Amino acid sequence: MGRPSVTVDVGRIEHNARTIVELCGGHGISVTGVTKAACGQPEVAEAMLRGGVPQLGDSRLENVERLRAAGIAAPIMLLRVPMLSGVDEVTRLIEVSLNSEITVLHALSDAALRRRSVHDVILMVDLGDLREGVWLDDVISAAGEVLRLPGVRLTGIGANLTCYGGVIPTEENMARLVGFGEAIEATHDIELTWISGGNSSALPLIAVGAMPARINQVRIGEAILLGRETAFGAPWPGTHQDAFVLRGEVIELKRKPSVPVGIRTQDAFGREPHFVDRGDRWRALVNIGEADTDVSGLSPIDPGLRVIGGSSDYTVVDVTSAEPAIQVGDELGFALSYGALLRAMHSRYVDKQIVPWRQC
Ligand SMILES: *Cc1c(COP(=O)(O)O)cnc(C)c1O
């Protein structure tokens, strides 16, 4: 059956992971390989491990279960702060979790003790991106409360940037994170193992040697999966951007005007698309839609093609300049944005095809 498919080139993912691990390793930074955009696909995790990451990270317990079911025994970090209702599973499946809620930490501690174990936690500090994390004045006292819980071990602090508020890591805000770590150490007379400084947006700072020395961990997804840093959205030197390619089939091909005919309102998603009159164009409808991916995040591999829109079940591609000409039944390939990758890997309508390992 002609379903859309994502090809997953595990050799390229391994290569990307190795490139990032070597870069970060040169600056004393350990890389946690983040599998969440790949829906915890075990082959992706295995490729990251072969590339040298010592630990995996995912945001969903379902994905972690998938990794464990595939026999992956590497330590796994839970990236989304745990649910109060999920602490038992967290202590069962996970070695270390990112945390910001004292109530949840109490429950995690109790759950770990019931298992006669101790659960490692990293306390998240909000440096201004306004997603998860303890806010400024509360950091030192929150750390003190965690230290009083017998079932959890405070192994470090961390911060996440650029995901919600779009704030990028700088020498200044990273130094502020280190400052919080050192204040916790001084106040509570402890040593933190990890200061977990961020995600793929941290790479530019690391590469120029400006990351403060005490930052010794980053959690990297996009730069390994798609070969891009996320502070400026640039391809990362020495990595592949096409480890994932989404492919679909042309199911209608017609020459039509480039501007809709009639009185217009919003599209099916409440958007108001903008049309440029380029005269009559050859338009291909592809069997990929918003139910399969984020259509706005698709970039045709063939430079002669242009995505001009989409709806639940179709992507519309201007194929007028394609060489050779496109025909009904042809397969078109697309590179993916982070959002497009995330949705394609999670869509049950999209087949996932693992490209056998090869040297690259
Ligand atoms: C998703 C996530 C990451 C990885 O982000 P990338 O931009 O894909 O590198 C790191 N940390 C946390 C807390 C996350 O949720």
Side-chain angles (χ1 to χ4, degrees):
M1 192 176 42
R3 288 152 53 106
S5 71
V6 190
T7 47
V8 181
D9 189 326
V10 292
R12 293 194 169 175
I13 294 167
E14 176 184 331
H15 170 93
N16 288 358
R18 185 170 295 115
T19 304
I20 303 296
V21 163
E22 282 171 5
L23 165 75
C24 293
H27 296 271
I29 297 171
S30 169
V31 176
T32 293
V34 174
T35 49
K36 70 184 187 212
C39 194
Q41 180 88 32
E43 292 87 347
V44 170
E46 284 157 1
M48 288 181 173
L49 291 166
R50 281 196 305 275
V53 309
Q55 170 169 279
L56 300 167
D58 205 292
S59 53
R60 308 254 174 177
L61 290 171
E62 292 90 335
N63 292 351
V64 175
E65 282 198 303
R66 189 176 178 198
L67 295 170
R68 293 298 187 219
I72 290 171
I76 300 181
M77 170 187 271
L78 184 65
L79 300 172
R80 185 166 71 176
V81 297
M83 295 170 291
L84 190 54
S85 59
V87 292
D88 281 314
E89 274 186 295
V90 172
T91 55
R92 177 170 62 85
L93 291 165
I94 295 278
E95 279 74 20
V96 53
S97 59
L98 306 182
N99 281 271
S100 60
E101 281 296 344
I102 286 299
T103 319
V104 176
L105 282 155
H106 274 273
L108 267 179
S109 173
D110 292 345
L113 290 179
R114 281 197 294 277
R115 258 172 221 290
R116 295 194 170 71
S117 67
V118 175
H119 180 73
D120 284 352
V121 304
I122 287 190
L123 182 68
M124 293 301 275
V125 178
D126 191 335
L127 294 178
D129 202 52
L130 304 185
R131 204 179 71 176
E132 76 277 40
V134 179
W135 192 252
L136 311 175
D137 303 344
D138 299 328
V139 175
I140 311 291
S141 64
E145 289 195 52
V146 179
L147 288 166
R148 279 192 287 278
L149 298 172
V152 297
R153 180 166 40 224
L154 183 66
T155 59
I157 60 167
N160 196 63
L161 291 171
T162 336
C163 275
Y164 169 75
V167 174
I168 62 171
T170 57
E171 252 181 292
E172 189 269 325
N173 58 23
M174 287 293 107
R176 194 139 36 92
L177 180 63
V178 171
F180 280 120
E182 289 175 344
I184 290 170
E185 291 179 331
T187 308
H188 300 297
D189 192 23
I190 55 159
E191 226 174 278
L192 297 171
T193 309
W194 299 110
I195 299 193
S196 189
N199 53 41
S200 296
S201 68
L203 292 180
L205 203 61
I206 294 170
V208 299
M211 186 61 93
R214 278 240 32 206
I215 305 277
N216 60 358
Q217 184 183 73
V218 286
R219 311 167 306 266
I220 304 287
E222 181 158 352
I224 296 177
L225 301 170
L226 295 174
R228 267 196 298 271
E229 56 80 25
T230 55
F232 310 101
W236 192 254
T239 62
H240 299 283
Q241 284 72 53
D242 57 355
F244 297 84
V245 175
L246 180 60
R247 294 172 208 279
E249 182 177 326
V250 175
I251 50 182
E252 183 192 294
L253 180 66
K254 299 202 186 297
R255 198 169 170 87
K256 297 183 186 178
S258 35
V259 177
V261 182
I263 298 166
R264 290 211 300 269
T265 177
Q266 297 168 335
D267 74 4
F269 290 84
R271 303 172 295 209
E272 281 177 33
H274 175 70
F275 300 93
V276 178
D277 193 351
R278 296 188 167 88
D280 284 4
R281 309 287 292 177
W282 281 102
R283 304 159 66 88
L285 300 188
V286 180
N287 67 334
I288 296 171
E290 299 286 355
D292 309 294
T293 191
D294 173 5
V295 170
S296 70
L298 299 182
S299 311
I301 303 286
D302 179 339
L305 308 183
R306 209 158 48 86
V307 173
I308 52 178
S311 56
S312 314
D313 305 291
Y314 291 115
T315 293
V316 188
V317 184
D318 184 330
V319 299
T320 314
S321 314
E323 287 284 351
I326 300 295
Q327 318 211 339
V328 170
D330 280 358
E331 193 182 81
L332 304 187
F334 302 89
L336 301 166
S337 70
Y338 184 80
L341 172 69
L342 179 77
R343 239 199 272 171
M345 291 304 285
H346 285 74
S347 172
R348 56 195 284 265
Y349 305 109
V350 176
D351 289 332
K352 286 81 187 173
Q353 290 179 356
I354 309 297
V355 179
W357 188 89
R358 57 204 156 115
Q359 186 74 42
C360 65

mmCIF file of all heavy atoms in Angstrom, residues 32-37 57-59 77-81 98 124 131-132 159-163 196-203 218-225 228-231 338, ligand 1:
data_model
loop_
_atom_site.group_PDB
_atom_site.id
_atom_site.type_symbol
_atom_site.label_atom_id
_atom_site.label_comp_id
_atom_site.label_asym_id
_atom_site.label_seq_id
_atom_site.Cartn_x
_atom_site.Cartn_y
_atom_site.Cartn_z
ATOM 1 N N THR A 32 23.962 13.937 26.250
ATOM 2 C CA THR A 32 22.810 13.054 26.364
ATOM 3 C C THR A 32 22.077 13.098 25.018
ATOM 4 O O THR A 32 21.701 14.179 24.555
ATOM 5 C CB THR A 32 21.882 13.518 27.503
ATOM 6 O OG1 THR A 32 22.573 13.348 28.744
ATOM 7 C CG2 THR A 32 20.594 12.713 27.541
ATOM 8 N N GLY A 33 21.902 11.952 24.378
ATOM 9 C CA GLY A 33 21.283 11.903 23.052
ATOM 10 C C GLY A 33 19.768 11.847 23.166
ATOM 11 O O GLY A 33 19.219 10.919 23.751
ATOM 12 N N VAL A 34 19.093 12.845 22.603
ATOM 13 C CA VAL A 34 17.652 12.996 22.821
ATOM 14 C C VAL A 34 16.850 12.376 21.674
ATOM 15 O O VAL A 34 16.994 12.773 20.510
ATOM 16 C CB VAL A 34 17.296 14.480 23.010
ATOM 17 C CG1 VAL A 34 15.789 14.671 23.097
ATOM 18 C CG2 VAL A 34 17.969 15.021 24.273
ATOM 19 N N THR A 35 16.021 11.400 22.019
ATOM 20 C CA THR A 35 15.299 10.606 21.019
ATOM 21 C C THR A 35 13.835 11.015 20.844
ATOM 22 O O THR A 35 13.118 10.399 20.075
ATOM 23 C CB THR A 35 15.328 9.112 21.421
ATOM 24 O OG1 THR A 35 14.924 9.007 22.802
ATOM 25 C CG2 THR A 35 16.709 8.515 21.270
ATOM 26 N N LYS A 36 13.384 12.049 21.557
ATOM 27 C CA LYS A 36 11.933 12.299 21.579
ATOM 28 C C LYS A 36 11.344 12.656 20.222
ATOM 29 O O LYS A 36 10.233 12.243 19.919
ATOM 30 C CB LYS A 36 11.589 13.363 22.620
ATOM 31 C CG LYS A 36 12.043 14.752 22.261
ATOM 32 C CD LYS A 36 11.755 15.733 23.390
ATOM 33 C CE LYS A 36 12.061 17.137 22.928
ATOM 34 N NZ LYS A 36 12.530 18.005 23.999
ATOM 35 N N ALA A 37 12.083 13.396 19.387
ATOM 36 C CA ALA A 37 11.516 13.753 18.080
ATOM 37 C C ALA A 37 11.408 12.525 17.184
ATOM 38 O O ALA A 37 10.692 12.531 16.190
ATOM 39 C CB ALA A 37 12.352 14.828 17.399
ATOM 40 N N GLY A 57 18.054 10.545 26.298
ATOM 41 C CA GLY A 57 17.031 11.349 26.950
ATOM 42 C C GLY A 57 15.761 11.306 26.139
ATOM 43 O O GLY A 57 15.796 11.299 24.902
ATOM 44 N N ASP A 58 14.625 11.214 26.817
ATOM 45 C CA ASP A 58 13.346 11.293 26.121
ATOM 46 C C ASP A 58 12.343 11.972 27.057
ATOM 47 O O ASP A 58 12.536 11.989 28.282
ATOM 48 C CB ASP A 58 12.847 9.912 25.681
ATOM 49 C CG ASP A 58 11.909 10.009 24.481
ATOM 50 O OD1 ASP A 58 10.784 10.539 24.637
ATOM 51 O OD2 ASP A 58 12.299 9.585 23.376
ATOM 52 N N SER A 59 11.286 12.499 26.467
ATOM 53 C CA SER A 59 10.320 13.254 27.263
ATOM 54 C C SER A 59 9.124 12.414 27.683
ATOM 55 O O SER A 59 8.361 12.819 28.550
ATOM 56 C CB SER A 59 9.842 14.462 26.462
ATOM 57 O OG SER A 59 9.370 14.024 25.202
ATOM 58 N N MET A 77 17.484 9.567 30.661
ATOM 59 C CA MET A 77 17.044 10.745 31.395
ATOM 60 C C MET A 77 15.633 11.115 30.936
ATOM 61 O O MET A 77 15.360 11.139 29.736
ATOM 62 C CB MET A 77 18.022 11.891 31.100
ATOM 63 C CG MET A 77 17.589 13.255 31.601
ATOM 64 S SD MET A 77 18.713 14.553 31.012
ATOM 65 C CE MET A 77 19.926 14.537 32.323
ATOM 66 N N LEU A 78 14.756 11.379 31.907
ATOM 67 C CA LEU A 78 13.416 11.859 31.542
ATOM 68 C C LEU A 78 13.457 13.373 31.453
ATOM 69 O O LEU A 78 13.781 14.057 32.424
ATOM 70 C CB LEU A 78 12.382 11.407 32.576
ATOM 71 C CG LEU A 78 10.943 11.783 32.227
ATOM 72 C CD1 LEU A 78 10.459 11.064 30.968
ATOM 73 C CD2 LEU A 78 9.999 11.488 33.393
ATOM 74 N N LEU A 79 13.124 13.907 30.266
ATOM 75 C CA LEU A 79 13.305 15.333 30.012
ATOM 76 C C LEU A 79 12.103 16.167 30.431
ATOM 77 O O LEU A 79 12.252 17.296 30.865
ATOM 78 C CB LEU A 79 13.562 15.564 28.514
ATOM 79 C CG LEU A 79 14.794 14.868 27.951
ATOM 80 C CD1 LEU A 79 14.819 15.013 26.440
ATOM 81 C CD2 LEU A 79 16.056 15.442 28.561
ATOM 82 N N ARG A 80 10.911 15.634 30.265
ATOM 83 C CA ARG A 80 9.740 16.389 30.713
ATOM 84 C C ARG A 80 9.582 16.150 32.204
ATOM 85 O O ARG A 80 9.677 15.011 32.657
ATOM 86 C CB ARG A 80 8.478 15.953 29.972
ATOM 87 C CG ARG A 80 7.278 16.815 30.353
ATOM 88 C CD ARG A 80 6.126 16.631 29.412
ATOM 89 N NE ARG A 80 5.478 15.337 29.558
ATOM 90 C CZ ARG A 80 4.386 14.971 28.879
ATOM 91 N NH1 ARG A 80 3.857 15.808 28.005
ATOM 92 N NH2 ARG A 80 3.863 13.783 29.054
ATOM 93 N N VAL A 81 9.349 17.211 32.981
ATOM 94 C CA VAL A 81 9.259 17.024 34.428
ATOM 95 C C VAL A 81 8.138 16.023 34.706
ATOM 96 O O VAL A 81 7.090 16.052 34.068
ATOM 97 C CB VAL A 81 9.068 18.361 35.181
ATOM 98 C CG1 VAL A 81 10.281 19.259 34.973
ATOM 99 C CG2 VAL A 81 7.805 19.070 34.790
ATOM 100 N N LEU A 98 14.613 15.250 35.113
ATOM 101 C CA LEU A 98 14.662 16.702 35.314
ATOM 102 C C LEU A 98 13.428 17.078 36.119
ATOM 103 O O LEU A 98 12.329 16.605 35.820
ATOM 104 C CB LEU A 98 14.648 17.428 33.960
ATOM 105 C CG LEU A 98 15.718 17.023 32.945
ATOM 106 C CD1 LEU A 98 15.598 17.876 31.674
ATOM 107 C CD2 LEU A 98 17.119 17.159 33.533
ATOM 108 N N MET A 124 15.786 21.769 37.781
ATOM 109 C CA MET A 124 15.789 22.717 36.665
ATOM 110 C C MET A 124 15.611 24.147 37.160
ATOM 111 O O MET A 124 14.749 24.444 37.992
ATOM 112 C CB MET A 124 14.679 22.360 35.673
ATOM 113 C CG MET A 124 14.907 21.044 34.969
ATOM 114 S SD MET A 124 16.459 20.986 34.029
ATOM 115 C CE MET A 124 15.931 21.747 32.476
ATOM 116 N N ARG A 131 9.829 28.254 30.435
ATOM 117 C CA ARG A 131 9.184 26.957 30.378
ATOM 118 C C ARG A 131 9.409 26.329 31.747
ATOM 119 O O ARG A 131 9.070 26.964 32.751
ATOM 120 C CB ARG A 131 9.715 26.121 29.204
ATOM 121 C CG ARG A 131 8.725 25.054 28.744
ATOM 122 C CD ARG A 131 9.202 24.226 27.574
ATOM 123 N NE ARG A 131 10.282 23.303 27.952
ATOM 124 C CZ ARG A 131 10.833 22.405 27.139
ATOM 125 N NH1 ARG A 131 10.405 22.296 25.899
ATOM 126 N NH2 ARG A 131 11.797 21.611 27.535
ATOM 127 N N GLU A 132 10.001 25.135 31.835
ATOM 128 C CA GLU A 132 10.127 24.516 33.160
ATOM 129 C C GLU A 132 11.271 25.127 33.966
ATOM 130 O O GLU A 132 12.219 25.659 33.403
ATOM 131 C CB GLU A 132 10.323 22.995 33.014
ATOM 132 C CG GLU A 132 11.720 22.541 32.581
ATOM 133 C CD GLU A 132 11.919 22.605 31.079
ATOM 134 O OE1 GLU A 132 11.458 23.572 30.441
ATOM 135 O OE2 GLU A 132 12.561 21.686 30.530
ATOM 136 N N ALA A 159 19.303 23.715 32.969
ATOM 137 C CA ALA A 159 18.434 24.747 32.417
ATOM 138 C C ALA A 159 18.125 24.379 30.982
ATOM 139 O O ALA A 159 18.899 23.677 30.326
ATOM 140 C CB ALA A 159 19.115 26.110 32.475
ATOM 141 N N ASN A 160 16.978 24.852 30.537
ATOM 142 C CA ASN A 160 16.596 24.644 29.146
ATOM 143 C C ASN A 160 16.250 25.986 28.537
ATOM 144 O O ASN A 160 15.523 26.766 29.132
ATOM 145 C CB ASN A 160 15.399 23.706 29.061
ATOM 146 C CG ASN A 160 15.228 23.157 27.668
ATOM 147 O OD1 ASN A 160 16.097 22.449 27.168
ATOM 148 N ND2 ASN A 160 14.137 23.499 27.015
ATOM 149 N N LEU A 161 16.790 26.254 27.361
ATOM 150 C CA LEU A 161 16.522 27.526 26.690
ATOM 151 C C LEU A 161 16.066 27.273 25.262
ATOM 152 O O LEU A 161 16.190 26.162 24.744
ATOM 153 C CB LEU A 161 17.801 28.382 26.666
ATOM 154 C CG LEU A 161 18.293 28.932 28.019
ATOM 155 C CD1 LEU A 161 19.669 29.553 27.861
ATOM 156 C CD2 LEU A 161 17.312 29.958 28.583
ATOM 157 N N THR A 162 15.529 28.332 24.642
ATOM 158 C CA THR A 162 15.239 28.363 23.207
ATOM 159 C C THR A 162 14.044 27.489 22.800
ATOM 160 O O THR A 162 13.702 27.438 21.626
ATOM 161 C CB THR A 162 16.477 27.962 22.345
ATOM 162 O OG1 THR A 162 17.682 28.217 23.087
ATOM 163 C CG2 THR A 162 16.542 28.786 21.083
ATOM 164 N N CYS A 163 13.408 26.779 23.770
ATOM 165 C CA CYS A 163 12.307 25.901 23.373
ATOM 166 C C CYS A 163 10.969 26.624 23.409
ATOM 167 O O CYS A 163 10.128 26.433 22.551
ATOM 168 C CB CYS A 163 12.242 24.681 24.287
ATOM 169 S SG CYS A 163 13.344 23.369 23.734
ATOM 170 N N SER A 196 23.833 20.864 33.779
ATOM 171 C CA SER A 196 23.324 20.438 32.478
ATOM 172 C C SER A 196 22.835 21.679 31.722
ATOM 173 O O SER A 196 21.800 22.245 32.035
ATOM 174 C CB SER A 196 22.186 19.436 32.725
ATOM 175 O OG SER A 196 21.782 18.842 31.525
ATOM 176 N N GLY A 197 23.654 22.103 30.765
ATOM 177 C CA GLY A 197 23.526 23.465 30.249
ATOM 178 C C GLY A 197 22.599 23.684 29.082
ATOM 179 O O GLY A 197 22.483 24.819 28.613
ATOM 180 N N GLY A 198 21.935 22.668 28.556
ATOM 181 C CA GLY A 198 21.010 23.011 27.493
ATOM 182 C C GLY A 198 20.959 21.996 26.373
ATOM 183 O O GLY A 198 21.301 20.827 26.561
ATOM 184 N N ASN A 199 20.540 22.488 25.212
ATOM 185 C CA ASN A 199 20.203 21.618 24.085
ATOM 186 C C ASN A 199 20.972 22.046 22.833
ATOM 187 O O ASN A 199 22.036 22.640 22.941
ATOM 188 C CB ASN A 199 18.680 21.647 23.883
ATOM 189 C CG ASN A 199 18.172 23.081 23.759
ATOM 190 O OD1 ASN A 199 18.791 23.919 23.111
ATOM 191 N ND2 ASN A 199 17.062 23.367 24.421
ATOM 192 N N SER A 200 20.403 21.763 21.678
ATOM 193 C CA SER A 200 21.122 22.041 20.422
ATOM 194 C C SER A 200 21.423 23.524 20.217
ATOM 195 O O SER A 200 22.237 23.877 19.367
ATOM 196 C CB SER A 200 20.323 21.527 19.219
ATOM 197 O OG SER A 200 20.202 20.127 19.260
ATOM 198 N N SER A 201 20.766 24.396 20.981
ATOM 199 C CA SER A 201 21.075 25.823 20.829
ATOM 200 C C SER A 201 22.379 26.192 21.531
ATOM 201 O O SER A 201 22.882 27.298 21.375
ATOM 202 C CB SER A 201 19.919 26.692 21.348
ATOM 203 O OG SER A 201 19.783 26.574 22.753
ATOM 204 N N ALA A 202 22.943 25.254 22.319
ATOM 205 C CA ALA A 202 24.188 25.552 23.044
ATOM 206 C C ALA A 202 25.431 25.339 22.179
ATOM 207 O O ALA A 202 26.530 25.768 22.553
ATOM 208 C CB ALA A 202 24.271 24.682 24.299
ATOM 209 N N LEU A 203 25.291 24.670 21.037
ATOM 210 C CA LEU A 203 26.481 24.282 20.270
ATOM 211 C C LEU A 203 27.342 25.460 19.801
ATOM 212 O O LEU A 203 28.570 25.388 19.901
ATOM 213 C CB LEU A 203 26.086 23.398 19.074
ATOM 214 C CG LEU A 203 25.547 22.016 19.448
ATOM 215 C CD1 LEU A 203 25.180 21.241 18.191
ATOM 216 C CD2 LEU A 203 26.556 21.225 20.277
ATOM 217 N N VAL A 218 25.215 18.487 28.065
ATOM 218 C CA VAL A 218 24.150 19.053 27.224
ATOM 219 C C VAL A 218 23.256 17.913 26.757
ATOM 220 O O VAL A 218 23.677 16.751 26.738
ATOM 221 C CB VAL A 218 24.694 19.830 25.998
ATOM 222 C CG1 VAL A 218 25.276 21.168 26.419
ATOM 223 C CG2 VAL A 218 25.713 19.004 25.230
ATOM 224 N N ARG A 219 22.031 18.253 26.435
ATOM 225 C CA ARG A 219 21.047 17.260 25.992
ATOM 226 C C ARG A 219 20.705 17.601 24.539
ATOM 227 O O ARG A 219 20.081 18.621 24.272
ATOM 228 C CB ARG A 219 19.814 17.340 26.904
ATOM 229 C CG ARG A 219 20.203 17.335 28.407
ATOM 230 C CD ARG A 219 19.047 17.730 29.297
ATOM 231 N NE ARG A 219 18.441 18.985 28.934
ATOM 232 C CZ ARG A 219 18.757 20.170 29.472
ATOM 233 N NH1 ARG A 219 19.657 20.263 30.418
ATOM 234 N NH2 ARG A 219 18.152 21.262 29.053
ATOM 235 N N ILE A 220 21.147 16.743 23.616
ATOM 236 C CA ILE A 220 21.120 17.130 22.202
ATOM 237 C C ILE A 220 20.209 16.218 21.381
ATOM 238 O O ILE A 220 20.430 15.008 21.292
ATOM 239 C CB ILE A 220 22.537 17.085 21.589
ATOM 240 C CG1 ILE A 220 23.526 17.957 22.380
ATOM 241 C CG2 ILE A 220 22.494 17.489 20.119
ATOM 242 C CD1 ILE A 220 23.363 19.440 22.216
ATOM 243 N N GLY A 221 19.199 16.805 20.770
ATOM 244 C CA GLY A 221 18.330 16.078 19.859
ATOM 245 C C GLY A 221 18.527 16.530 18.421
ATOM 246 O O GLY A 221 19.116 15.829 17.590
ATOM 247 N N GLU A 222 18.055 17.738 18.133
ATOM 248 C CA GLU A 222 18.002 18.207 16.746
ATOM 249 C C GLU A 222 19.347 18.165 16.027
ATOM 250 O O GLU A 222 19.421 17.777 14.859
ATOM 251 C CB GLU A 222 17.409 19.631 16.702
ATOM 252 C CG GLU A 222 17.293 20.169 15.279
ATOM 253 C CD GLU A 222 16.277 21.270 15.114
ATOM 254 O OE1 GLU A 222 15.521 21.565 16.057
ATOM 255 O OE2 GLU A 222 16.226 21.845 14.010
ATOM 256 N N ALA A 223 20.425 18.550 16.709
ATOM 257 C CA ALA A 223 21.729 18.605 16.024
ATOM 258 C C ALA A 223 22.191 17.214 15.612
ATOM 259 O O ALA A 223 22.904 17.061 14.625
ATOM 260 C CB ALA A 223 22.774 19.270 16.910
ATOM 261 N N ILE A 224 21.778 16.179 16.366
ATOM 262 C CA ILE A 224 22.135 14.808 15.993
ATOM 263 C C ILE A 224 21.174 14.293 14.921
ATOM 264 O O ILE A 224 21.577 13.669 13.943
ATOM 265 C CB ILE A 224 22.112 13.883 17.223
ATOM 266 C CG1 ILE A 224 23.187 14.317 18.235
ATOM 267 C CG2 ILE A 224 22.309 12.422 16.812
ATOM 268 C CD1 ILE A 224 23.195 13.500 19.536
ATOM 269 N N LEU A 225 19.892 14.583 15.094
ATOM 270 C CA LEU A 225 18.896 14.011 14.176
ATOM 271 C C LEU A 225 18.891 14.736 12.828
ATOM 272 O O LEU A 225 18.827 14.101 11.779
ATOM 273 C CB LEU A 225 17.508 14.089 14.814
ATOM 274 C CG LEU A 225 17.361 13.344 16.156
ATOM 275 C CD1 LEU A 225 16.026 13.691 16.806
ATOM 276 C CD2 LEU A 225 17.490 11.840 15.943
ATOM 277 N N ARG A 228 21.414 20.325 12.752
ATOM 278 C CA ARG A 228 21.249 21.785 12.855
ATOM 279 C C ARG A 228 21.374 22.216 14.308
ATOM 280 O O ARG A 228 20.823 21.574 15.199
ATOM 281 C CB ARG A 228 19.845 22.195 12.382
ATOM 282 C CG ARG A 228 19.771 22.576 10.921
ATOM 283 C CD ARG A 228 18.499 23.338 10.617
ATOM 284 N NE ARG A 228 17.307 22.538 10.874
ATOM 285 C CZ ARG A 228 16.741 21.734 9.971
ATOM 286 N NH1 ARG A 228 17.237 21.628 8.765
ATOM 287 N NH2 ARG A 228 15.663 21.052 10.287
ATOM 288 N N GLU A 229 22.100 23.353 14.517
ATOM 289 C CA GLU A 229 22.018 23.972 15.841
ATOM 290 C C GLU A 229 20.743 24.810 15.843
ATOM 291 O O GLU A 229 20.196 25.107 14.781
ATOM 292 C CB GLU A 229 23.287 24.784 16.149
ATOM 293 C CG GLU A 229 23.654 25.865 15.134
ATOM 294 C CD GLU A 229 22.842 27.136 15.309
ATOM 295 O OE1 GLU A 229 22.371 27.376 16.427
ATOM 296 O OE2 GLU A 229 22.683 27.862 14.310
ATOM 297 N N THR A 230 20.282 25.191 17.029
ATOM 298 C CA THR A 230 18.963 25.835 17.049
ATOM 299 C C THR A 230 18.977 27.268 17.605
ATOM 300 O O THR A 230 17.938 27.864 17.773
ATOM 301 C CB THR A 230 17.975 24.986 17.877
ATOM 302 O OG1 THR A 230 18.526 24.780 19.183
ATOM 303 C CG2 THR A 230 17.718 23.649 17.222
ATOM 304 N N ALA A 231 20.190 27.815 17.874
ATOM 305 C CA ALA A 231 20.231 29.227 18.267
ATOM 306 C C ALA A 231 19.986 30.096 17.033
ATOM 307 O O ALA A 231 19.271 31.094 17.088
ATOM 308 C CB ALA A 231 21.572 29.570 18.913
ATOM 309 N N TYR A 338 12.233 20.349 12.414
ATOM 310 C CA TYR A 338 12.063 19.616 13.668
ATOM 311 C C TYR A 338 10.598 19.227 13.878
ATOM 312 O O TYR A 338 10.282 18.080 14.209
ATOM 313 C CB TYR A 338 12.554 20.489 14.834
ATOM 314 C CG TYR A 338 12.508 19.788 16.159
ATOM 315 C CD1 TYR A 338 13.510 18.898 16.516
ATOM 316 C CD2 TYR A 338 11.463 20.009 17.047
ATOM 317 C CE1 TYR A 338 13.473 18.240 17.733
ATOM 318 C CE2 TYR A 338 11.419 19.356 18.273
ATOM 319 C CZ TYR A 338 12.427 18.476 18.610
ATOM 320 O OH TYR A 338 12.386 17.827 19.806
HETATM 321 C C1 LIG B 1 13.766 18.332 23.796
HETATM 322 C C2 LIG B 1 14.685 18.694 24.880
HETATM 323 C C3 LIG B 1 16.062 18.751 24.636
HETATM 324 C C4 LIG B 1 16.664 18.522 23.260
HETATM 325 O O1 LIG B 1 16.458 19.667 22.464
HETATM 326 P P1 LIG B 1 17.078 19.788 20.982
HETATM 327 O O2 LIG B 1 16.822 21.198 20.592
HETATM 328 O O3 LIG B 1 16.366 18.814 20.133
HETATM 329 O O4 LIG B 1 18.535 19.508 21.089
HETATM 330 C C5 LIG B 1 16.891 19.047 25.702
HETATM 331 N N1 LIG B 1 16.388 19.283 26.934
HETATM 332 C C6 LIG B 1 15.077 19.239 27.203
HETATM 333 C C7 LIG B 1 14.602 19.512 28.580
HETATM 334 C C8 LIG B 1 14.181 18.944 26.181
HETATM 335 O O5 LIG B 1 12.878 18.903 26.460
#
